[in-house]
Amino acid sequence: MSRSARSSFAAIVVGLALVAAACGGGSGSSSAGGTSPNGSKGEGPPQSGGSITYGLGAESSNGFCLSGANLSPEGIQVAESIYDTLTVPNEKGDYVPYLAKSVAPSSDYKEWVITLRPGVLFHDGTPFDAAAVKLNLDAYRHGLLIQFAFANIADTTVVDPMTVKVTMKVPWVAFPAYLYFTGRIGMMAPAQINDKANCATKMIGTGPFTLKDWVVNDHLTVLKNQKYWRPGLPYLDQITFRPVVDPSQRTNGLKGGQLNIIHTDSALQIKDLRDAAAHGQLTIFENQKGAEVSYNMMNVSHAPFDDITARQAVILATDRVELNNIVNGGVNTIADQPFAPDVVGYVPDPGYPKFDLAAAKVKADAYKAKHGGQFNVEVETTIDPENAREAQLLKSQWAKAGINATIKQVDEATLISDAIGGGYQMNLWRNHQGSDPDTQWVWWHGGSAINFQRFKDPAVDQIFDIGRSDIDPAKRKTDYDGLSKALNAGAYDIWKWYALWAIASQTNVHGITGPDLPDGGGKQGLLASVHPMVGLWVSK
Amino acid sequence: MGALIGKKVVQLAAVLLVVTFFSFLLIHLLPGDPAATIIPLGTDAQRTQLRKDVGLDKPLVSQYTRWLGKFVRGDFGRYYRQFGGEPVRKRLSQALPVSLQLLVYAEVLALVIAIPLGILAAYRAGTWVDRFLSTGAFASLAIPDFVLALVLIFYLGVKLKWFPVLGYVHFGQSPTEHFKSMFLPAFSLALAQAAVYMRLLRSDMIATLQEDYILMARSQGLPTWRILLRHALRPSSFSLLTVAGISVGTLIGGAIVIEAIFTLPGVGLTIFQAISERQYIAVQACVAVIGCGYVVVNFVVDLLYTALDPRVRHAA
């Protein structure tokens, strides 16, 4: 969704949660990468003790009852400290067991058996067992948040105290990716799930930190889990998360010393932070692996975008280079498709048309000829000034092609509500993070209730259906090669650029990329904004 | 005097009724169904609960009296979040002291800056000192408080690291850190006010210094500082006192932005966050509290003015 629109949640429609989910990230994997691999080599041995204050871009005001929460990247960052997931991506982009000991499919991928790691306790001292996992998975299946994503699950069964069997409706190869879902599928203690009144605020997980206190819109403090199942971890005694909404003030707080670590997706702040890092004032880690894409989403069920000519006209009339230079200072990478270069489904030439004003005018005129000489577009965006500036620029670009645009500014919840209800023509959106294209099924498949663009494209559906159940890993990777081309042939979106996230810290904060995974195989793969909290440490 | 106070109390009560009524109306000014606006994506059960809490199904006057009754008892409603939400009263009770501290510090800072400079400018009226101070005052007035805040953050917080750029430290936790955390926000609010006060005091004091009794004091050989502070300042401070009271409203308006910039957990930041989260019940309560506070402060100033100036008493 739009730059700032990534956190609200609908109670009436579960899809809203998935919007938020996808806006923070869908699912996928990437290796830890960035301009400065903080937390890996050259930092010396980790030191235990100390506390840090983490500046977040937003408050998770709807709480942390994960099955129904609408976690933005900020919320996921907090969840990373309190909860563990059954799987995590590794640096190769594969999903490997984490809290699970193994996650194994049947030969036809219609059944998955999850075997649990022994000796793990929830923060309240209760054991992490198969009954707890079943309770969690059922909560996600029936809760507000992930139900669309988990719609392919037919049943969950406790096989023995440490084993759970999950039966699928159709073979599902990408299931381990869904067990992570960008850190959203944390395992909650039964005591938290069953306490409906306090589920959102009394967080009990198995993670490296336990909840100390949470004052909404002020701070959330977590303490070291003294009985964490990973020996020697975590290093920090305490983390205090503070929501500091304004990106520049978050940067100032870091530079001024009130914050020890922050994250940001503001291109202008990233430029500033890069400069400070170059002068040795702080450390910056940037990640664009599995990145979300910023785009203009068109609703094909409403005029004018029910006509492909109109969609093609606005695509051709959009000068994305100029847009990126003005809006992002040229920091972000232009996207021609929804998938980042490291993601399955990315193809070098997805057939996205280049900016061509003359061709745009021809298309606009053709549309006008068919529709009484009018070509009016309403673009919906949030009240965020950066989004408003972008919308104004788009309006001026389209005006050169004879397209008359009006800008409708709404609050974030309304933007999402309109997307769900279909009451929009076009909006500024951001989504589709992740490495496995199957996790995008809910957004583009014609059978999905939360295909916000309301298209039913047989070519797109066929690609998703084949990819979901293709048990040949090598072939499956190529199954999605045609997806971006199919989307671009339908001219459903104006792709703009990949989101860039930076995590900046004081120079004495280390371990941002986390320790090695418990079963070997390198570190956890990082997805855009989300990084593990378990390995953070401060040098004295 | 008693009759005068009684009359003013009646006026106060009337104004408070008007203020609370318009604050109450805020919810009804929302487009469409207030419940749907406040909880656009909630369940029917949540919306029904909100309508029940607010009494939206009752006649407007009945709603107001019900709301006012709760308001007077300190029941300001609650936040409507997915997981319920805390009472607004709880948030306000935490936020109000922070805002009051900010306003008091800003007011004190403004007066501390304005009074000596105003006296000096009046005493040196027409000289380069006066012109310099007047020019400085106009420059201060021209700088919006949020711009000044950003400049102060950059130089004193980020570059020199003398003051924290965000957050709040409770006085009991560390008095030194408390004042450090409050200085930049308070100074950002105070400077423009100080300019106004200084100009006001200067002009009043110039007039006072031309009074016969000042000439008499000079002829008696009283030291200048005594004439200025004991004989000229008090009669010159009526306008200053009145404006200082009225300017509480200006400070409150500025505090919303300043608290948001410095992430100070006061009423301003509470309103800012509540607007962002569509927590209009909380916004309504904050507006009503601020409105009532503003009216009461002006009432107190009015009484002080009466006490200070015998002419007002006699006229009454």
Side-chain angles (χ1 to χ4, degrees):
Chain A
M1 66 188 68
S2 59
R3 185 180 301 274
S4 64
R6 54 173 189 270
S7 65
S8 295
F9 178 74
I12 44 172
V13 182
V14 175
L16 174 59
L18 276 179
V19 173
C23 290
S27 166
S29 78
S30 73
S31 59
T35 56
S36 171
N38 190 355
S40 52
K41 294 173 183 173
E43 293 186 322
Q47 299 171 22
S48 291
S51 61
I52 61 169
T53 303
Y54 200 126
L56 298 172
E59 177 60 287
S60 301
S61 52
N62 281 324
F64 292 88
C65 194
L66 299 183
S67 53
N70 59 325
L71 296 186
S72 61
E74 292 81 1
I76 296 172
Q77 211 57 69
V78 176
E80 282 277 335
S81 68
I82 296 175
Y83 301 99
D84 291 317
T85 50
L86 291 167
T87 62
V88 293
N90 66 14
E91 290 174 306
K92 293 177 186 170
D94 299 324
Y95 284 85
V96 296
Y98 188 69
L99 200 50
K101 188 177 173 187
S102 67
V103 180
S106 60
S107 58
D108 61 357
Y109 284 80
K110 281 200 76 172
E111 285 183 359
W112 284 83
V113 174
I114 303 169
T115 308
L116 306 183
R117 201 176 286 275
V120 179
L121 295 176
F122 285 108
H123 298 158
D124 61 357
T126 55
F128 171 69
D129 57 16
V133 171
K134 176 178 165 51
L135 189 66
N136 271 275
L137 293 179
D138 288 347
Y140 284 114
R141 287 173 63 204
H142 300 109
L144 291 170
L145 175 56
I146 312 292
Q147 67 166 283
F148 285 116
F150 276 10
N152 192 34
I153 295 178
D155 191 26
T156 58
T157 316
V158 173
V159 177
D160 63 48
M162 298 305 284
T163 311
V164 177
K165 186 173 75 178
V166 183
T167 308
M168 310 302 174
K169 293 173 184 168
V170 299
W172 201 9
V173 178
F175 181 58
Y178 279 86
L179 290 177
Y180 179 67
F181 216 69
T182 328
R184 286 187 170 82
I185 312 297
M187 289 294 109
M188 299 174 281
Q192 181 186 350
I193 296 173
N194 293 329
D195 183 1
K196 303 294 181 199
N198 298 304
C199 181
T201 53
K202 306 288 185 194
M203 294 90 90
I204 310 169
T206 62
F209 295 92
T210 62
L211 176 69
K212 180 187 177 191
D213 67 330
W214 181 25
V215 177
V216 179
N217 282 323
D218 189 69
H219 72 273
L220 187 152
T221 301
V222 293
L223 300 174
K224 179 177 185 170
N225 177 4
Q226 301 289 352
K227 295 179 180 175
Y228 192 50
W229 57 275
R230 297 190 65 180
L233 293 169
Y235 301 117
L236 291 172
D237 290 334
Q238 178 176 302
I239 303 173
T240 301
F241 296 97
R242 288 203 55 184
V244 182
V245 178
D246 182 66
S248 61
Q249 190 60 348
R250 209 153 61 243
T251 303
N252 288 333
L254 178 67
K255 289 180 175 177
Q258 287 75 57
L259 303 174
N260 302 102
I261 180 170
I262 65 168
H263 66 178
T264 184
D265 62 345
S266 163
L268 300 180
Q269 293 306 313
I270 289 173
K271 285 181 85 170
D272 187 22
L273 291 165
R274 281 177 183 172
D275 186 50
H279 288 86
Q281 296 164 356
L282 48 84
T283 305
I284 184 168
F285 176 85
E286 293 179 30
N287 193 30
Q288 210 169 14
K289 300 292 177 82
E292 298 163 301
V293 63
S294 287
Y295 63 108
N296 283 27
M297 186 163 80
M298 289 182 264
N299 181 357
V300 306
S301 69
H302 276 292
F305 298 121
D306 56 348
D307 186 334
I308 191 171
T309 311
R311 303 200 295 270
Q312 289 169 332
V314 290
I315 287 172
L316 289 164
T318 304
D319 183 350
R320 298 173 299 153
V321 174
E322 181 189 59
L323 205 61
N324 188 37
N325 285 338
I326 293 174
V327 174
N328 301 319
V331 168
N332 293 59
T333 305
I334 298 287
D336 289 335
Q337 56 193 307
F339 302 116
D342 61 303
V343 174
V344 172
Y346 175 85
V347 287
D349 180 14
Y352 189 79
K354 294 188 183 309
F355 167 60
D356 187 338
L357 188 56
K361 283 178 181 171
V362 171
K363 290 285 183 186
D365 289 343
Y367 179 83
K368 286 177 184 174
K370 285 193 282 181
H371 298 86
Q374 298 292 314
F375 189 175
N376 298 315
V377 177
E378 184 181 80
V379 189
E380 196 167 291
T381 185
T382 64
I383 52 176
D384 179 288
E386 290 189 30
N387 287 332
R389 186 172 53 154
E390 187 183 324
Q392 286 289 350
L393 194 57
L394 284 166
K395 178 180 176 174
S396 68
Q397 288 184 351
W398 297 337
K400 293 172 189 169
I403 303 165
N404 176 42
T406 53
I407 299 167
K408 181 183 177 186
Q409 285 188 272
V410 296
D411 64 83
E412 197 174 301
T414 304
L415 185 86
I416 296 168
S417 175
D418 285 351
I420 293 166
Y424 75 102
Q425 292 180 14
M426 173 195 280
N427 60 28
L428 272 60
W429 208 251
R430 197 175 75 187
N431 199 350
H432 311 304
Q433 180 187 8
S435 64
D436 196 311
D438 184 78
T439 54
Q440 312 301 335
W441 193 99
V442 291
W443 307 117
W444 295 319
H445 195 284
S448 171
I450 52 171
N451 179 332
F452 294 148
Q453 299 177 261
R454 274 96 183 147
F455 62 77
K456 289 183 186 292
D457 190 320
V460 172
D461 290 354
Q462 187 183 24
I463 290 168
F464 273 122
D465 291 339
I466 291 171
R468 168 154 286 194
S469 302
D470 193 339
I471 60 173
D472 179 348
K475 185 173 170 297
R476 188 171 177 274
K477 284 187 176 176
T478 61
D479 288 340
Y480 293 98
D481 283 355
L483 184 53
S484 293
K485 287 183 180 176
L487 291 169
N488 287 342
Y492 302 118
D493 309 279
I494 304 173
W495 308 120
K496 290 180 297 194
W497 47 77
Y498 298 113
L500 173 64
W501 280 91
I503 298 146
S505 65
Q506 306 282 355
T507 53
N508 67 335
V509 177
H510 312 278
I512 287 170
T513 56
D516 285 346
L517 291 169
D519 299 326
K523 290 175 181 293
Q524 180 176 331
L526 303 190
L527 287 174
S529 64
V530 180
H531 68 98
M533 308 299 286
V534 64
L536 286 175
W537 59 279
V538 289
S539 51
K540 309 291 189 296
Chain B
M1 185 70 176
L4 177 67
I5 292 175
K7 186 179 167 188
K8 285 191 179 295
V9 167
V10 172
Q11 289 173 343
L12 171 72
V15 174
L16 284 176
L17 276 177
V18 172
V19 167
T20 52
F21 182 70
F22 280 103
S23 302
F24 157 79
L25 276 186
L26 283 175
I27 294 296
H28 294 272
L29 294 176
L30 292 171
D33 176 12
T37 307
I38 294 168
I39 316 177
L41 307 167
T43 61
D44 287 341
Q46 287 173 316
R47 290 192 184 129
T48 303
Q49 184 61 47
L50 188 149
R51 288 191 193 97
K52 189 180 168 191
D53 292 348
V54 180
L56 289 173
D57 53 340
K58 295 181 169 57
L60 196 65
V61 175
S62 171
Q63 284 183 44
Y64 172 64
T65 52
R66 185 168 175 268
W67 175 86
L68 186 62
K70 286 184 172 183
F71 182 78
V72 169
R73 293 195 302 274
D75 180 357
F76 302 145
R78 67 177 180 86
Y79 284 79
Y80 289 86
R81 301 189 195 285
Q82 203 174 315
F83 55 84
E86 67 275 33
V88 176
R89 176 184 180 169
K90 184 180 172 189
R91 289 290 298 278
L92 264 178
S93 66
Q94 294 163 345
L96 207 52
V98 178
S99 290
L100 288 175
Q101 286 167 13
L102 177 62
L103 295 183
V104 168
Y105 295 160
E107 197 75 277
V108 168
L109 258 178
L111 291 170
V112 164
I113 295 167
I115 290 174
L117 294 183
I119 294 171
L120 181 62
Y123 181 61
R124 298 290 188 195
T127 67
W128 69 269
V129 175
D130 181 28
R131 285 195 293 275
F132 176 77
L133 290 173
S134 295
T135 306
F138 284 125
S140 303
L141 276 171
I143 303 172
D145 47 18
F146 66 89
V147 173
L148 178 66
L150 296 176
V151 172
L152 293 174
I153 283 171
F154 183 73
Y155 285 105
L156 302 184
V158 174
K159 289 285 180 190
L160 298 172
K161 299 188 193 301
W162 288 354
F163 300 97
V165 300
L166 55 86
Y168 170 75
V169 179
H170 195 276
F171 183 84
Q173 195 179 337
S174 166
T176 311
E177 291 304 315
H178 169 77
F179 286 117
K180 281 176 76 174
S181 71
M182 295 298 277
F183 179 76
L184 291 185
F187 189 78
S188 303
L189 281 175
L191 193 63
Q193 292 305 119
V196 174
Y197 298 166
M198 193 210 91
R199 292 290 302 164
L200 198 64
L201 183 61
R202 174 193 170 275
S203 57
D204 280 3
M205 202 141 178
I206 286 172
T208 307
L209 288 173
Q210 289 167 3
E211 295 283 341
D212 291 344
Y213 71 92
I214 297 292
L215 188 63
M216 173 70 79
R218 280 182 178 150
S219 68
Q220 288 176 337
L222 293 177
T224 305
W225 67 267
R226 191 179 172 89
I227 295 169
L228 290 172
L229 297 182
R230 295 292 299 273
H231 298 283
L233 179 59
R234 184 171 158 170
S236 306
S237 60
F238 297 140
S239 305
L240 177 63
L241 186 65
T242 307
V243 171
I246 293 170
S247 69
V248 168
T250 311
L251 287 175
I252 290 169
I256 292 176
V257 178
I258 293 298
E259 285 179 7
I261 290 175
F262 288 96
T263 327
L264 271 185
V267 179
L269 185 61
T270 302
I271 291 177
F272 184 82
Q273 290 166 336
I275 292 170
S276 305
E277 296 176 13
R278 286 179 168 239
Q279 299 291 346
Y280 296 124
I281 301 291
V283 174
Q284 180 191 43
C286 291
V287 168
V289 167
I290 288 173
C292 292
Y294 180 64
V295 171
V296 170
V297 166
N298 279 285
F299 171 74
V300 173
V301 169
D302 215 14
L303 289 184
L304 282 175
Y305 196 71
T306 310
L308 278 173
D309 191 346
R311 289 170 299 183
V312 178
R313 276 200 304 275
H314 296 316

